[in-house]
Amino acid sequence: MLRADRSGTRPTPERRVTAALPRRATAFGRRESPSFARRATLRRSLRLLGSFRFEQTDPALFYGGIAVDTAELIGDFYRDHTGCSLTGATVLDVGGGPGYFADEFTAAGARYVPVEPDPTEMHAAGLTVRGAVRGSGMALPFRDDAVDICLSSNVAEHVPHPWRMAEEMLRVTRPGGLMMLSYTVWAGPFGGHETGPWHYLGGEYAARRYRRRTGREPKNRFGTSLFAVRAADGLRWAARASERADVPAVFPRYHPRWAWWLVRVPGIRELLVSNLVVVLVKR
């Protein structure tokens, strides 16, 4: 698939990035919480977390469920911001892979364009996505301000410079457009993907153990196609990006709404957030 330096400054008081939702949402008028919050139930959390066990054995089941959830997430935030549905919106999916998201966004009326650097990944599921682009998320082959929505779901942990990719995503999003970056946190229970939970003893150790146990290399090879990304890294990048975009929401993707506060707590968020979502509206 389609990660970066971890430099950056802490949020200044006047530009403080909220850990879940601002008390007064900067990009959503008087709305105190996004529409998507109503979907963030315990039932949804259990369904999505349970699907992870099928990531390798039945990817269509796993990624199909993630695709539905992603389209709902994007649709809700876009409607909150613009008052419009996804009909007619151009959606650029960075790291779109084999195209599981295409049907969901197309059904919502969007013009869906996936970007993927690996041709084998693009065709892994035998799906064909019209308009798919081969290219790197760290150097997107699109002009500035080109798309209404730019998203990346579960990709940042698979690239060596994720914040370079995030900068590229923000660059190609038009002013007033929506950007959403969602990634797996390394110290969370799914950080090692199929090599977990042994990644807690080190990514290389986990990869070697997987190879001894299965007789094959893991698909997500630490240091090559899987990297350690922290929740704090995403928060720092969001703080820097707040100079150019509003940051209406940063929250743990697979948690119910009442647990979104975990993002606010250093240390604990690395272990319990699992997957961090950063939503921005470009100014």
Side-chain angles (χ1 to χ4, degrees), residues 189-246:
F190 302 103
H193 289 249
E194 70 269 33
T195 68
W198 300 99
H199 68 291
Y200 286 121
L201 299 179
E204 185 59 35
Y205 172 83
R208 291 198 307 269
R209 184 184 183 278
Y210 183 90
R211 185 171 59 246
R212 289 195 305 269
R213 184 170 61 86
T214 66
R216 63 180 185 275
E217 289 286 344
K219 176 184 177 182
N220 301 288
R221 188 65 165 82
F222 181 73
T224 302
S225 59
L226 182 64
F227 302 87
V229 193
R230 302 178 301 163
D233 300 334
L235 291 170
R236 290 195 184 101
W237 180 79
R240 297 199 301 272
S242 67
E243 296 293 332
R244 293 157 290 152
D246 295 317

Side-chain angles (χ1 to χ4, degrees), residues 28-48:
F28 299 101
R30 297 181 179 179
R31 187 183 297 277
E32 294 184 357
S33 64
S35 297
F36 182 73
R38 77 185 188 280
R39 300 185 193 272
T41 63
L42 180 60
R43 176 178 294 181
R44 166 186 171 271
S45 298
L46 294 174
R47 183 181 72 252
L48 291 174

Side-chain angles (χ1 to χ4, degrees), residues 172-193:
V172 303
T173 303
R174 67 168 175 79
L178 188 75
M179 174 187 157
M180 188 278 283
L181 176 68
S182 168
Y183 66 91
T184 303
V185 177
W186 173 251
F190 302 103
H193 289 249

Side-chain angles (χ1 to χ4, degrees), residues 185 188-189 231 251-255 262-263 268-277:
V185 177
F251 60 95
R253 179 167 184 174
Y254 303 126
H255 288 47
L262 289 169
V263 174
I268 290 178
R269 64 189 171 211
E270 302 299 336
L271 296 172
L272 299 182
V273 160
S274 182
N275 188 290
L276 187 73
V277 177

Side-chain angles (χ1 to χ4, degrees), residues 2-250:
L2 298 179
R3 155 178 178 175
D5 48 53
R6 295 176 180 172
S7 62
T9 57
R10 294 181 178 275
T12 58
E14 66 274 18
R15 293 269 184 196
R16 181 173 59 87
V17 177
T18 58
L21 287 176
R23 191 172 294 274
R24 285 191 305 234
T26 56
F28 299 101
R30 297 181 179 179
R31 187 183 297 277
E32 294 184 357
S33 64
S35 297
F36 182 73
R38 77 185 188 280
R39 300 185 193 272
T41 63
L42 180 60
R43 176 178 294 181
R44 166 186 171 271
S45 298
L46 294 174
R47 183 181 72 252
L48 291 174
L49 292 172
S51 71
F52 271 94
R53 69 182 184 272
F54 299 108
E55 181 181 8
Q56 300 297 314
T57 60
D58 191 351
L61 176 62
F62 170 68
Y63 288 107
I66 295 295
V68 172
D69 190 74
T70 301
E72 291 175 345
L73 188 159
I74 294 294
D76 284 350
F77 274 102
Y78 192 69
R79 185 178 297 106
D80 284 347
H81 176 57
T82 66
C84 300
S85 70
L86 293 177
T87 301
T90 301
V91 177
L92 180 63
D93 183 359
V94 180
Y100 289 110
F101 287 22
D103 287 348
E104 296 301 325
F105 280 100
T106 301
R111 181 192 174 208
Y112 175 81
V113 181
V115 176
E116 172 62 53
D118 185 352
T120 60
E121 190 71 23
M122 292 176 75
H123 303 294
L127 304 175
T128 301
V129 181
R130 185 176 181 180
V133 176
R134 185 179 176 186
S136 170
M138 294 176 288
L140 288 171
F142 295 88
R143 62 174 174 78
D144 295 357
D145 308 332
V147 300
D148 300 302
I149 299 165
C150 190
L151 72 96
S152 179
S153 176
N154 298 306
V155 173
E157 70 269 23
H158 296 293
V159 299
H161 302 291
W163 312 116
R164 186 183 302 167
M165 184 182 80
E167 289 292 332
E168 280 290 278
M169 292 174 63
L170 191 58
R171 176 184 66 79
V172 303
T173 303
R174 67 168 175 79
L178 188 75
M179 174 187 157
M180 188 278 283
L181 176 68
S182 168
Y183 66 91
T184 303
V185 177
W186 173 251
F190 302 103
H193 289 249
E194 70 269 33
T195 68
W198 300 99
H199 68 291
Y200 286 121
L201 299 179
E204 185 59 35
Y205 172 83
R208 291 198 307 269
R209 184 184 183 278
Y210 183 90
R211 185 171 59 246
R212 289 195 305 269
R213 184 170 61 86
T214 66
R216 63 180 185 275
E217 289 286 344
K219 176 184 177 182
N220 301 288
R221 188 65 165 82
F222 181 73
T224 302
S225 59
L226 182 64
F227 302 87
V229 193
R230 302 178 301 163
D233 300 334
L235 291 170
R236 290 195 184 101
W237 180 79
R240 297 199 301 272
S242 67
E243 296 293 332
R244 293 157 290 152
D246 295 317
V247 186
V250 182

